[in-house]
C-alpha cells in the first residue's frame, strides 16, 4: 500500500513538473483571461498610438489556436473570426522586443504598437520604447527568430520557469 502511495505521489510530481518544462504555447495566454489578458485585439486597430487598450467582455469570446480571445463587442469578435491573422498580435502575443533578442517574455496590453498594419505587443513601456527606436530592425530580427524561438527557448530550459510561472 505504501509503495502504491509513493508511486502515485511520484507520478503526480513528475506530471506536474513536466508541465513546467513543456513547450511554450504558440499564443501567449493568461490562465484566466486568455490571449492579451482579456483585451480586444481588434480594438487596437481603431486606437491612436498611446491610447489604453480596450478590455474584452466575457460574452464576446472566441477560441482560436487553442486560446480564448475576448472582444469588446460582437462586431469585433466577428471581424476576428473572419480574419484572425489580420488582428492577432505578432509572435503569438509574446513581447516583440524580446522576440527580436531571441527569447520570450509576457506582454502588457497597454504596451502596444501597430506597424504596417500589424499588432506588436511588448513586455512594458521600456521594451516598447526600445522597440519603437528601430522597429523595422527589431521586426526583421523577430521574424527571423520566431519560427524556432519557442523550441530553442525550451531546449535551454528557460521558457516556462522564467516566463510563465512568474507572469501568469
Amino acid at each position: 500500500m505504501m509503495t502504491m502511495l509513493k508511486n502515485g505521489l511520484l507520478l503526480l510530481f513528475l506530471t506536474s513538473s513536466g508541465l513546467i518544462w513543456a513547450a511554450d504555447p504558440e499564443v501567449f495566454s493568461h490562465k484566466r483571461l486568455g490571449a492579451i489578458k482579456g483585451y480586444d485585439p481588434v480594438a487596437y486597430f481603431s486606437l491612436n498610438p498611446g491610447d489604453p487598450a480596450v478590455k474584452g467582455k466575457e460574452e464576446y469570446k472566441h477560441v482560436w489556436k487553442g486560446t480564448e480571445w475576448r472582444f469588446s463587442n460582437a462586431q469585433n469578435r466577428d471581424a476576428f473570426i473572419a480574419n484572425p491573422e489580420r488582428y492577432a498580435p505578432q509572435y503569438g502575443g509574446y513581447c516583440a522586443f524580446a522576440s527580436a533578442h531571441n527569447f520570450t517574455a509576457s506582454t502588457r496590453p497597454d504596451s502596444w504598437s501597430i506597424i504596417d498594419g500589424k499588432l506588436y505587443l511588448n513586455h512594458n513601456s521600456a521594451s516598447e520604447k526600445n522597440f519603437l527606436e528601430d522597429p523595422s530592425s527589431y521586426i526583421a530580427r523577430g521574424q527571423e527568430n520566431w519560427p524556432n524561438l519557442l523550441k530553442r527557448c525550451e531546449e535551454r530550459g528557460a521558457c516556462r520557469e522564467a516566463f510563465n510561472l512568474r507572469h501568469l
Side-chain angles (χ1 to χ4, degrees), residues 60-122:
Y60 304 116
K61 62 185 176 183
H62 173 69
V63 174
W64 180 66
K65 289 196 172 188
T67 301
E68 182 180 290
W69 299 76
R70 294 185 185 181
F71 306 89
S72 55
N73 57 56
Q75 294 83 4
N76 285 6
R77 181 199 58 213
D78 295 345
F80 185 88
I81 291 169
N83 191 359
E85 287 85 8
R86 176 181 176 345
Y87 298 106
Q90 300 301 294
Y91 316 120
Y94 290 92
C95 176
F97 186 72
S99 297
H101 289 88
N102 214 20
F103 68 95
T104 59
S106 63
T107 53
R108 295 200 174 107
D110 286 332
S111 294
W112 65 275
S113 52
I114 305 271
I115 299 169
D116 294 330
K118 297 182 183 208
L119 174 60
Y120 295 90
L121 299 173
N122 280 288

Side-chain angles (χ1 to χ4, degrees), residues 6-98:
K6 285 181 183 177
N7 288 342
L9 289 173
L10 179 61
L11 180 61
L12 178 63
F13 172 76
L14 291 174
T15 303
S16 63
S17 65
L19 292 174
I20 293 171
W21 300 109
D24 277 351
E26 184 177 357
V27 175
F28 169 69
S29 179
H30 185 275
K31 286 181 181 178
R32 274 186 312 101
L33 303 174
I36 316 176
K37 297 181 181 172
Y39 283 76
D40 183 339
V42 176
Y44 285 102
F45 291 85
S46 62
L47 298 175
N48 293 313
D51 283 353
V54 176
K55 188 89 169 148
K57 298 178 182 175
E58 175 74 25
E59 62 264 28
Y60 304 116
K61 62 185 176 183
H62 173 69
V63 174
W64 180 66
K65 289 196 172 188
T67 301
E68 182 180 290
W69 299 76
R70 294 185 185 181
F71 306 89
S72 55
N73 57 56
Q75 294 83 4
N76 285 6
R77 181 199 58 213
D78 295 345
F80 185 88
I81 291 169
N83 191 359
E85 287 85 8
R86 176 181 176 345
Y87 298 106
Q90 300 301 294
Y91 316 120
Y94 290 92
C95 176
F97 186 72

